[in-house]
Amino acid sequence: MRILHRVAQLRADGRSVISLCAGEPAGGAPGAVHRRAAQLHRAQAEFSYTPALGIEELREEIAAHYRLWYGLRVPTEAVAVTTGSSGGFLLAFLAAFNPGDRVALARPGYPAYRNLLTALGCEVVELDCGPDVGFQPTPTLLDDAVAASGELAGLVLASPANPTGTMIDVARMAALVEWSRRRGVQIVSDEIYHGITYGHGSPEASGDPERPKGVCALALEPDAIVVSSFSKYWGMTGWRVGWLVLPERLRAPVDALAGNIALCPPAPAQAAAVAAFRRASYAEADTRVAELARVREIALAGARRLGWDPIAPADGAFYLYAGVPLGQYEDSEAWCAALLETHGVALVPGTDFDRVDGREFVRLSFAAGAEAVTEALERIEAFQAS
């Protein structure tokens, strides 16, 4: 966020700045969602509080979405609509864990997992998931964590992951589920980037042999907590609507917590989000993913040309996470700051995602589109040559 603030300052001063920071897909919500919102406002619909877990129509559509994409029968009562996936994580962590519980997650990883769990009094156990394990957890890493400091209460998984874009295939998911089940460890699966994938993963789990959506943890572990969102695949970041799929024992606790924390998710956004599940909305989102696949190839080719190494494969999401040649700079924070000031390109330093080994890594978001990414890579090449 400090980087984005500096981007705004530079632009206000008349500088040309290309920001490849935000995890925000270009294009916004599908047309059907906008039209639905416009219809509701023209009709002067009265938006009062909804049920804490969301309106029934939207919960039903989300349940149907799991049948369509994964062939899974999710009961409507298992779905909790949340204020974005951020609100979903807070509710899930509050309901599933107690202060002092030890919860494992991958490093590098999305920093909000660590920050929320720490704020709630949990002990975060970071698993060193480097290139040798595809930037994703393994049972061996979990065994090592237990041997080093004791049993775990939870395991947070993310596939596709932020910042790496790496995915957990069926075999690894099955191994992680089996390990967790034996030890009574609660899995929380972040699946907000499902649908934004590039031909990797598991067709048999996704129900779509052409382009897998991602492996849903529920296909292997019905007791998992799944977190998802309208923000990424549907491009609805500012609408602030996400959801949880919950095991039966956590539904009442989450309902009670949700009513205390936010009363309900945004009512107008819920009503409009129903239209995200229309056939035209899926088609529109898939068209954008196809364009992201093209930009991904531009980003990967550019990173290789720049000598970045290692490069996470970016099987999904819209990020490129890679090691950069630091040259005269102490770490990736200094490298990114200099790149922004001298050549007007904003990237995120790896230290945001990995406080141990992230000093030589950066994250580039290629969601900004082909033109922006192409020009940014040219500017980075000039920066590295200077």
Side-chain angles (χ1 to χ4, degrees):
M1 300 311 296
R2 287 195 301 271
I3 295 168
L4 290 174
H5 178 67
R6 182 57 181 156
V7 168
Q9 288 180 325
L10 291 170
R11 286 175 172 167
D13 290 339
R15 290 279 303 279
S16 168
V17 178
I18 302 171
S19 178
L20 304 183
C21 289
E24 189 164 24
V33 173
H34 285 296
R35 290 189 292 274
R36 171 70 171 160
Q39 290 166 359
L40 291 165
H41 284 285
R42 280 198 301 270
Q44 296 184 338
E46 183 177 338
F47 293 113
S48 55
Y49 295 134
T50 75
L53 298 187
I55 60 175
E56 189 72 7
E57 183 182 12
L58 183 56
R59 296 172 75 191
E60 290 173 352
E61 290 289 349
I62 292 169
H65 171 74
Y66 279 83
R67 291 194 296 274
L68 176 67
W69 267 18
Y70 310 104
L72 295 173
R73 294 196 173 276
V74 170
T76 302
E77 57 268 24
V79 176
V81 182
T82 61
T83 307
S85 62
S86 300
F89 278 111
L90 178 59
L91 290 169
F93 292 161
L94 275 168
F97 306 127
N98 294 312
D101 280 353
R102 303 177 72 249
V103 182
L105 46 84
R107 175 175 55 77
Y110 182 49
Y113 308 146
R114 179 182 69 234
N115 297 338
L116 281 173
L117 287 165
T118 300
L120 295 175
C122 295
E123 180 184 345
V124 174
V125 179
E126 294 187 326
L127 307 174
D128 183 7
C129 300
D132 56 320
V133 293
F135 297 98
Q136 289 284 2
T138 67
T140 299
L141 287 172
L142 290 165
D143 283 335
D144 291 344
V146 169
S149 51
E151 294 294 336
L152 300 171
L155 170 62
V156 179
L157 302 175
S159 174
N162 177 8
T164 60
T166 56
M167 295 177 67
I168 300 174
D169 62 16
V170 169
R172 185 175 294 195
M173 183 66 80
L176 292 168
V177 163
E178 194 276 332
W179 187 95
S180 300
R181 191 177 289 158
R182 277 192 292 109
R183 293 182 175 270
V185 173
Q186 176 66 61
I187 289 177
V188 180
S189 182
D190 179 350
E191 301 180 2
I192 72 171
Y193 292 98
H194 274 211
I196 308 177
T197 58
Y198 307 108
H200 302 271
S202 170
E204 63 272 20
S206 70
D208 181 353
E210 298 301 320
R211 183 174 58 76
K213 313 304 184 196
V215 178
C216 182
L218 295 171
L220 299 167
E221 178 51 274
D223 198 47
I225 300 170
V226 166
V227 185
S228 196
S229 173
F230 292 90
S231 291
K232 307 303 181 179
Y233 174 74
W234 285 281
M236 295 172 59
T237 52
W239 298 71
R240 306 315 301 136
V241 188
W243 72 82
L244 299 172
V245 181
L246 296 161
E248 186 172 2
R249 73 180 192 285
L250 294 179
R251 294 170 195 170
V254 167
D255 193 355
L257 287 163
N260 280 275
I261 290 173
L263 288 178
C264 68
Q270 288 189 66
V274 170
F277 297 107
R278 293 179 182 165
R279 182 176 298 180
S281 297
Y282 283 114
E284 193 173 331
D286 282 340
T287 297
R288 293 178 184 177
V289 173
E291 174 60 16
L292 283 171
R294 185 175 77 87
V295 184
R296 170 184 178 269
E297 294 303 318
I298 294 171
L300 285 169
R304 296 186 190 103
R305 186 174 69 249
L306 292 167
W308 291 5
D309 182 70
I311 301 173
D315 295 332
F318 34 68
Y319 306 116
L320 180 65
Y321 190 71
V324 296
L326 293 177
Q328 61 184 302
Y329 300 101
E330 179 182 2
D331 56 25
S332 57
E333 290 188 31
W335 190 94
C336 285
L339 173 64
L340 178 56
E341 297 298 329
T342 62
H343 287 73
V345 177
L347 306 181
V348 182
T351 48
D352 265 14
F353 312 101
D354 185 341
R355 296 176 297 178
V356 178
D357 299 317
R359 61 179 302 277
E360 296 181 357
F361 284 80
V362 300
R363 189 195 75 176
L364 178 157
S365 171
F366 52 84
E371 184 177 348
V373 169
T374 299
E375 184 176 349
L377 290 168
E378 292 172 355
R379 293 188 187 189
I380 295 169
E381 188 170 11
F383 169 73
Q384 290 189 179
S386 61

